[in-house]
């Protein structure tokens, strides 16, 4: 399922409602292998809901692309979203590709994601973190 490059689709209050609806739908997609939501304007709150209620119930997911959602992982809300995603990743035991480039990730967010999530993804072979300048500060 690729919904990439729809800049306003997941932005604002309507976008949060769309993330919630998608999160409720994903558990019914028992054979979903790829999810692309890059460039959709997703917020930190939207990702937190999507991770906990949707992605966590997609055991066959092999690729998750969330790139180019600027600010999604920035600040305190972004850190909370990183934590939610990190807790979800171990449930995706077949995950091979994870795209988080251009999302505003910080060094602290990366540390949480690495320790709690990525470290528990034995099949992960490709990780996109480009264009996250705050990740290198600190």
């Amino acid at each position: 399922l690729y919904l990439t490059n729809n800049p306003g689709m997941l932005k604002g209050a309507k976008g949060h409602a769309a993330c919630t609806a998608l999160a409720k739908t994903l558990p019914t997609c028992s054979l979903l292998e790829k999810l692309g939501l890059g460039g959709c304007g997703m917020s930190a709150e939207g990702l937190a809901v999507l991770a906990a209620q949707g992605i966590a119930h997609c055991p066959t997911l092999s690729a998750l692309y969330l790139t180019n959602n600027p600010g999604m992982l920035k600040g305190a809300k972004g850190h909370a979203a990183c934590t939610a995603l990190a807790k979800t990743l171990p449930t995706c035991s077949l995950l091979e590709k994870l795209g988080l480039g251009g999302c505003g990730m910080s060094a602290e967010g990366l540390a949480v994601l690495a320790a709690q999530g990525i470290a528990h993804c034995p099949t992960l072979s490709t990780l996109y973190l480009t264009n996250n300048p705050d990740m290198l500060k600190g």
Side-chain angles (χ1 to χ4, degrees), residues 57-128:
H57 303 284
C58 295
T60 58
L61 197 65
S62 64
L64 177 60
Y65 300 107
L66 301 170
T67 56
N68 299 319
N69 284 298
M72 180 178 71
L73 300 177
K74 196 168 194 144
K77 290 180 180 179
H79 186 74
C82 275
T83 301
L85 182 59
K87 289 178 180 177
T88 299
L89 289 179
T91 66
C92 302
S93 60
L94 301 177
L95 191 67
E96 296 175 6
K97 297 178 182 177
L98 177 60
L100 293 169
C103 294
M105 185 182 301
S106 66
E108 295 84 5
L110 176 60
V112 168
L113 194 65
Q116 296 179 20
I118 295 169
H120 303 283
C121 294
T123 58
L124 190 67
S125 62
T126 307
L127 178 61
Y128 300 100

